[in-house]
Amino acid sequence: VNRANEALVQSVNCSLDDAFNSMNRTNWAAFSQDVGDHSAFVGDISERLPKQFEPIAAHLSKIHYRFFCDKFVQSFVTRFVAEVHKCRKISERGAQQLLLDTALIKTTLLEAPVVAGHGRQMPTAYSNYVLREMGKAEIMLKVLSSPDVDAASITAMLGDSSEDPVVQQLLALRAGDSGEASSSGSMEQQFRHE
């Protein structure tokens, strides 16, 4: 059962390859469009997930379907965060657009299993996991969309549990002169403290 579930999760994940490739092809560092409507890759994800989930919901028992959904969302969130990091540099406006996109993806993750299951509600634990983990991605993008961010302000935004490598990764993702300046400034502060 575990192997079959892993195969289903991988199959649905692979169906999203084009959407994530589209996300990575976007030049988020030079993103200059008005933030408003969702990106094309998000529309693709929102359209594909319910279609991919529907036959799975139809052929699995209630408990196995829930197990599949739990495993899928864990895999998806990990991949989504990794795909954001693959974007290399993200401007403030690009981060604002990705933040809007992330909110729609979060809604899709909450609704797709219910729609595909013809109204069968998911357990509260599923919803809580989606909200918590996609919330972490949203916080990461809020950090990137904030002007004049340095290591100390990132740590404050992420909370006490943030680790130095995470802070450095976020500083490295920032595009433009302000991101590079705050990155080198934080490095100077690090060396002074050591």
Side-chain angles (χ1 to χ4, degrees), residues 6 17 21 24 35 40-41 48 50 56 73 87 95 97-98 100 109 114 130-131 137 139 155 161 171 177 187-188 194:
E6 287 174 19
D17 286 351
N21 287 336
N24 288 322
V35 176
F41 81 93
R48 285 179 187 258
I56 296 169
V73 79
C87 293
Q97 181 63 49
L98 282 169
L100 179 71
L109 290 172
V114 177
V130 170
L131 295 172
I139 290 171
T155 302
S161 64
L171 286 171
D177 295 330
M187 295 274 238
E188 282 179 37
E194 290 179 11

mmCIF file of all heavy atoms in Angstrom, residues 6 17 21 24 35 40-41 48 50 56 73 87 95 97-98 100 109 114 130-131 137 139 155 161 171 177 187-188 194:
data_model
loop_
_atom_site.group_PDB
_atom_site.id
_atom_site.type_symbol
_atom_site.label_atom_id
_atom_site.label_comp_id
_atom_site.label_asym_id
_atom_site.label_seq_id
_atom_site.Cartn_x
_atom_site.Cartn_y
_atom_site.Cartn_z
ATOM 1 N N GLU A 6 3.025 5.992 -2.782
ATOM 2 C CA GLU A 6 4.170 6.780 -3.247
ATOM 3 C C GLU A 6 4.110 6.975 -4.758
ATOM 4 O O GLU A 6 4.425 8.058 -5.261
ATOM 5 C CB GLU A 6 5.479 6.087 -2.861
ATOM 6 C CG GLU A 6 5.800 6.169 -1.394
ATOM 7 C CD GLU A 6 7.036 5.346 -1.011
ATOM 8 O OE1 GLU A 6 7.842 5.007 -1.912
ATOM 9 O OE2 GLU A 6 7.184 5.037 0.179
ATOM 10 N N ASP A 17 4.972 19.249 -13.332
ATOM 11 C CA ASP A 17 6.303 19.652 -13.814
ATOM 12 C C ASP A 17 6.246 20.877 -14.721
ATOM 13 O O ASP A 17 7.036 21.806 -14.566
ATOM 14 C CB ASP A 17 7.005 18.501 -14.538
ATOM 15 C CG ASP A 17 7.518 17.435 -13.587
ATOM 16 O OD1 ASP A 17 7.491 17.656 -12.352
ATOM 17 O OD2 ASP A 17 7.946 16.370 -14.088
ATOM 18 N N ASN A 21 8.037 24.386 -14.089
ATOM 19 C CA ASN A 21 9.006 24.870 -15.074
ATOM 20 C C ASN A 21 8.657 26.278 -15.524
ATOM 21 O O ASN A 21 9.534 27.123 -15.698
ATOM 22 C CB ASN A 21 9.078 23.922 -16.281
ATOM 23 C CG ASN A 21 9.789 22.629 -15.939
ATOM 24 O OD1 ASN A 21 10.590 22.564 -15.016
ATOM 25 N ND2 ASN A 21 9.490 21.582 -16.694
ATOM 26 N N ASN A 24 9.738 28.669 -12.870
ATOM 27 C CA ASN A 24 11.180 28.883 -12.859
ATOM 28 C C ASN A 24 11.678 29.671 -14.065
ATOM 29 O O ASN A 24 12.727 30.303 -14.000
ATOM 30 C CB ASN A 24 11.917 27.550 -12.761
ATOM 31 C CG ASN A 24 11.786 26.944 -11.388
ATOM 32 O OD1 ASN A 24 11.805 27.657 -10.391
ATOM 33 N ND2 ASN A 24 11.620 25.639 -11.316
ATOM 34 N N VAL A 35 1.076 43.684 -9.611
ATOM 35 C CA VAL A 35 0.671 42.525 -8.828
ATOM 36 C C VAL A 35 -0.844 42.545 -8.752
ATOM 37 O O VAL A 35 -1.440 43.562 -8.442
ATOM 38 C CB VAL A 35 1.287 42.592 -7.407
ATOM 39 C CG1 VAL A 35 0.787 41.445 -6.551
ATOM 40 C CG2 VAL A 35 2.802 42.585 -7.492
ATOM 41 N N ALA A 40 0.328 32.379 -14.446
ATOM 42 C CA ALA A 40 -0.164 31.277 -15.283
ATOM 43 C C ALA A 40 0.117 29.919 -14.647
ATOM 44 O O ALA A 40 -0.722 29.012 -14.702
ATOM 45 C CB ALA A 40 0.455 31.359 -16.672
ATOM 46 N N PHE A 41 1.287 29.778 -14.015
ATOM 47 C CA PHE A 41 1.629 28.485 -13.421
ATOM 48 C C PHE A 41 0.656 28.104 -12.302
ATOM 49 O O PHE A 41 0.360 26.926 -12.092
ATOM 50 C CB PHE A 41 3.087 28.451 -12.929
ATOM 51 C CG PHE A 41 3.338 29.077 -11.597
ATOM 52 C CD1 PHE A 41 3.303 28.300 -10.439
ATOM 53 C CD2 PHE A 41 3.640 30.419 -11.481
ATOM 54 C CE1 PHE A 41 3.550 28.862 -9.197
ATOM 55 C CE2 PHE A 41 3.897 30.996 -10.250
ATOM 56 C CZ PHE A 41 3.842 30.214 -9.103
ATOM 57 N N ARG A 48 -5.135 21.438 -12.643
ATOM 58 C CA ARG A 48 -4.692 20.041 -12.705
ATOM 59 C C ARG A 48 -4.996 19.236 -11.434
ATOM 60 O O ARG A 48 -5.346 18.067 -11.525
ATOM 61 C CB ARG A 48 -3.195 19.970 -12.976
ATOM 62 C CG ARG A 48 -2.829 20.273 -14.387
ATOM 63 C CD ARG A 48 -1.318 20.216 -14.561
ATOM 64 N NE ARG A 48 -0.958 20.667 -15.875
ATOM 65 C CZ ARG A 48 -0.636 19.856 -16.866
ATOM 66 N NH1 ARG A 48 -0.631 18.559 -16.671
ATOM 67 N NH2 ARG A 48 -0.317 20.341 -18.043
ATOM 68 N N PRO A 50 -7.421 19.100 -9.025
ATOM 69 C CA PRO A 50 -8.708 18.394 -8.879
ATOM 70 C C PRO A 50 -8.878 17.276 -9.913
ATOM 71 O O PRO A 50 -9.404 16.212 -9.598
ATOM 72 C CB PRO A 50 -9.752 19.495 -9.084
ATOM 73 C CG PRO A 50 -9.039 20.761 -8.766
ATOM 74 C CD PRO A 50 -7.610 20.539 -9.177
ATOM 75 N N ILE A 56 -8.332 9.198 -8.265
ATOM 76 C CA ILE A 56 -7.741 8.614 -7.054
ATOM 77 C C ILE A 56 -8.809 8.520 -5.967
ATOM 78 O O ILE A 56 -8.965 7.489 -5.310
ATOM 79 C CB ILE A 56 -6.522 9.440 -6.598
ATOM 80 C CG1 ILE A 56 -5.415 9.368 -7.660
ATOM 81 C CG2 ILE A 56 -6.010 8.969 -5.241
ATOM 82 C CD1 ILE A 56 -4.269 10.346 -7.460
ATOM 83 N N VAL A 73 0.377 16.361 -0.012
ATOM 84 C CA VAL A 73 0.579 17.752 0.411
ATOM 85 C C VAL A 73 1.954 17.925 1.064
ATOM 86 O O VAL A 73 2.603 18.955 0.889
ATOM 87 C CB VAL A 73 -0.574 18.260 1.302
ATOM 88 C CG1 VAL A 73 -0.465 17.783 2.726
ATOM 89 C CG2 VAL A 73 -0.649 19.771 1.266
ATOM 90 N N CYS A 87 14.357 29.780 -8.153
ATOM 91 C CA CYS A 87 14.162 31.041 -8.881
ATOM 92 C C CYS A 87 15.380 31.953 -8.770
ATOM 93 O O CYS A 87 15.460 32.961 -9.438
ATOM 94 C CB CYS A 87 12.914 31.760 -8.367
ATOM 95 S SG CYS A 87 11.381 30.887 -8.741
ATOM 96 N N ALA A 95 8.300 38.971 -5.407
ATOM 97 C CA ALA A 95 7.910 38.287 -4.168
ATOM 98 C C ALA A 95 6.455 38.571 -3.822
ATOM 99 O O ALA A 95 5.741 37.682 -3.340
ATOM 100 C CB ALA A 95 8.824 38.709 -3.021
ATOM 101 N N GLN A 97 4.079 39.104 -6.011
ATOM 102 C CA GLN A 97 3.276 38.277 -6.912
ATOM 103 C C GLN A 97 3.291 36.821 -6.454
ATOM 104 O O GLN A 97 2.262 36.157 -6.431
ATOM 105 C CB GLN A 97 3.795 38.383 -8.355
ATOM 106 C CG GLN A 97 2.994 37.556 -9.341
ATOM 107 C CD GLN A 97 1.544 38.016 -9.450
ATOM 108 O OE1 GLN A 97 1.268 39.198 -9.613
ATOM 109 N NE2 GLN A 97 0.604 37.075 -9.357
ATOM 110 N N LEU A 98 4.460 36.314 -6.067
ATOM 111 C CA LEU A 98 4.550 34.940 -5.582
ATOM 112 C C LEU A 98 3.752 34.753 -4.295
ATOM 113 O O LEU A 98 3.194 33.681 -4.062
ATOM 114 C CB LEU A 98 6.015 34.545 -5.365
ATOM 115 C CG LEU A 98 6.788 34.200 -6.634
ATOM 116 C CD1 LEU A 98 8.281 34.085 -6.338
ATOM 117 C CD2 LEU A 98 6.267 32.904 -7.245
ATOM 118 N N LEU A 100 0.953 36.352 -3.551
ATOM 119 C CA LEU A 100 -0.432 36.236 -4.020
ATOM 120 C C LEU A 100 -0.677 34.845 -4.598
ATOM 121 O O LEU A 100 -1.697 34.206 -4.313
ATOM 122 C CB LEU A 100 -0.712 37.310 -5.075
ATOM 123 C CG LEU A 100 -2.097 37.313 -5.690
ATOM 124 C CD1 LEU A 100 -3.125 37.789 -4.674
ATOM 125 C CD2 LEU A 100 -2.121 38.206 -6.912
ATOM 126 N N LEU A 109 -4.954 23.657 -2.487
ATOM 127 C CA LEU A 109 -4.604 22.466 -1.702
ATOM 128 C C LEU A 109 -5.696 22.111 -0.699
ATOM 129 O O LEU A 109 -5.903 20.939 -0.383
ATOM 130 C CB LEU A 109 -3.274 22.673 -0.976
ATOM 131 C CG LEU A 109 -2.025 22.703 -1.857
ATOM 132 C CD1 LEU A 109 -0.805 23.119 -1.034
ATOM 133 C CD2 LEU A 109 -1.793 21.354 -2.520
ATOM 134 N N VAL A 114 -11.402 17.923 -1.556
ATOM 135 C CA VAL A 114 -12.836 17.925 -1.261
ATOM 136 C C VAL A 114 -13.633 17.880 -2.564
ATOM 137 O O VAL A 114 -14.583 17.102 -2.696
ATOM 138 C CB VAL A 114 -13.221 19.173 -0.413
ATOM 139 C CG1 VAL A 114 -14.712 19.225 -0.170
ATOM 140 C CG2 VAL A 114 -12.460 19.177 0.900
ATOM 141 N N VAL A 130 -1.732 22.107 5.916
ATOM 142 C CA VAL A 130 -1.649 22.989 4.749
ATOM 143 C C VAL A 130 -1.481 24.439 5.195
ATOM 144 O O VAL A 130 -0.609 25.155 4.699
ATOM 145 C CB VAL A 130 -2.899 22.844 3.851
ATOM 146 C CG1 VAL A 130 -2.928 23.918 2.774
ATOM 147 C CG2 VAL A 130 -2.951 21.460 3.219
ATOM 148 N N LEU A 131 -2.302 24.873 6.138
ATOM 149 C CA LEU A 131 -2.237 26.258 6.605
ATOM 150 C C LEU A 131 -0.894 26.578 7.251
ATOM 151 O O LEU A 131 -0.298 27.627 7.001
ATOM 152 C CB LEU A 131 -3.383 26.544 7.579
ATOM 153 C CG LEU A 131 -4.785 26.475 6.977
ATOM 154 C CD1 LEU A 131 -5.842 26.584 8.068
ATOM 155 C CD2 LEU A 131 -4.978 27.539 5.913
ATOM 156 N N ALA A 137 5.789 29.257 3.909
ATOM 157 C CA ALA A 137 6.195 29.740 2.582
ATOM 158 C C ALA A 137 5.767 31.192 2.396
ATOM 159 O O ALA A 137 6.510 32.005 1.841
ATOM 160 C CB ALA A 137 5.601 28.851 1.488
ATOM 161 N N ILE A 139 5.409 33.436 4.773
ATOM 162 C CA ILE A 139 6.299 34.271 5.587
ATOM 163 C C ILE A 139 7.619 34.496 4.854
ATOM 164 O O ILE A 139 8.146 35.611 4.820
ATOM 165 C CB ILE A 139 6.527 33.651 6.982
ATOM 166 C CG1 ILE A 139 5.250 33.745 7.812
ATOM 167 C CG2 ILE A 139 7.694 34.331 7.709
ATOM 168 C CD1 ILE A 139 5.285 32.983 9.119
ATOM 169 N N THR A 155 15.212 37.472 10.988
ATOM 170 C CA THR A 155 15.103 36.630 12.178
ATOM 171 C C THR A 155 13.842 37.010 12.968
ATOM 172 O O THR A 155 13.117 36.139 13.443
ATOM 173 C CB THR A 155 16.358 36.750 13.058
ATOM 174 O OG1 THR A 155 17.490 36.384 12.267
ATOM 175 C CG2 THR A 155 16.283 35.855 14.268
ATOM 176 N N SER A 161 12.805 30.582 16.102
ATOM 177 C CA SER A 161 13.242 29.265 15.636
ATOM 178 C C SER A 161 14.027 29.331 14.325
ATOM 179 O O SER A 161 14.489 28.306 13.843
ATOM 180 C CB SER A 161 12.040 28.341 15.468
ATOM 181 O OG SER A 161 11.200 28.846 14.453
ATOM 182 N N LEU A 171 18.383 35.997 2.259
ATOM 183 C CA LEU A 171 19.150 37.158 1.812
ATOM 184 C C LEU A 171 19.712 36.927 0.410
ATOM 185 O O LEU A 171 19.749 37.834 -0.410
ATOM 186 C CB LEU A 171 20.279 37.468 2.803
ATOM 187 C CG LEU A 171 19.839 38.111 4.119
ATOM 188 C CD1 LEU A 171 20.995 38.164 5.101
ATOM 189 C CD2 LEU A 171 19.273 39.502 3.886
ATOM 190 N N ASP A 177 19.997 45.808 -5.764
ATOM 191 C CA ASP A 177 21.078 46.368 -4.948
ATOM 192 C C ASP A 177 20.773 46.299 -3.465
ATOM 193 O O ASP A 177 21.645 46.049 -2.652
ATOM 194 C CB ASP A 177 21.354 47.822 -5.346
ATOM 195 C CG ASP A 177 21.894 47.910 -6.771
ATOM 196 O OD1 ASP A 177 22.561 46.954 -7.209
ATOM 197 O OD2 ASP A 177 21.623 48.925 -7.421
ATOM 198 N N MET A 187 26.687 40.107 6.688
ATOM 199 C CA MET A 187 27.935 39.360 6.807
ATOM 200 C C MET A 187 28.903 40.132 7.704
ATOM 201 O O MET A 187 29.566 39.546 8.544
ATOM 202 C CB MET A 187 28.573 39.148 5.429
ATOM 203 C CG MET A 187 27.731 38.268 4.534
ATOM 204 S SD MET A 187 28.106 36.588 4.821
ATOM 205 C CE MET A 187 28.589 36.106 3.202
ATOM 206 N N GLU A 188 28.954 41.456 7.521
ATOM 207 C CA GLU A 188 29.827 42.270 8.370
ATOM 208 C C GLU A 188 29.419 42.134 9.828
ATOM 209 O O GLU A 188 30.269 41.991 10.704
ATOM 210 C CB GLU A 188 29.733 43.751 7.962
ATOM 211 C CG GLU A 188 30.519 44.097 6.719
ATOM 212 C CD GLU A 188 30.340 45.560 6.377
ATOM 213 O OE1 GLU A 188 30.274 46.396 7.315
ATOM 214 O OE2 GLU A 188 30.258 45.868 5.183
ATOM 215 N N GLU A 194 31.577 37.532 15.947
ATOM 216 C CA GLU A 194 32.413 36.332 16.158
ATOM 217 C C GLU A 194 33.725 36.719 16.661
ATOM 218 O O GLU A 194 34.400 37.163 17.271
ATOM 219 C CB GLU A 194 32.622 35.595 14.824
ATOM 220 C CG GLU A 194 31.335 34.950 14.379
ATOM 221 C CD GLU A 194 31.501 34.241 13.041
ATOM 222 O OE1 GLU A 194 32.631 34.070 12.576
ATOM 223 O OE2 GLU A 194 30.503 33.867 12.472
#
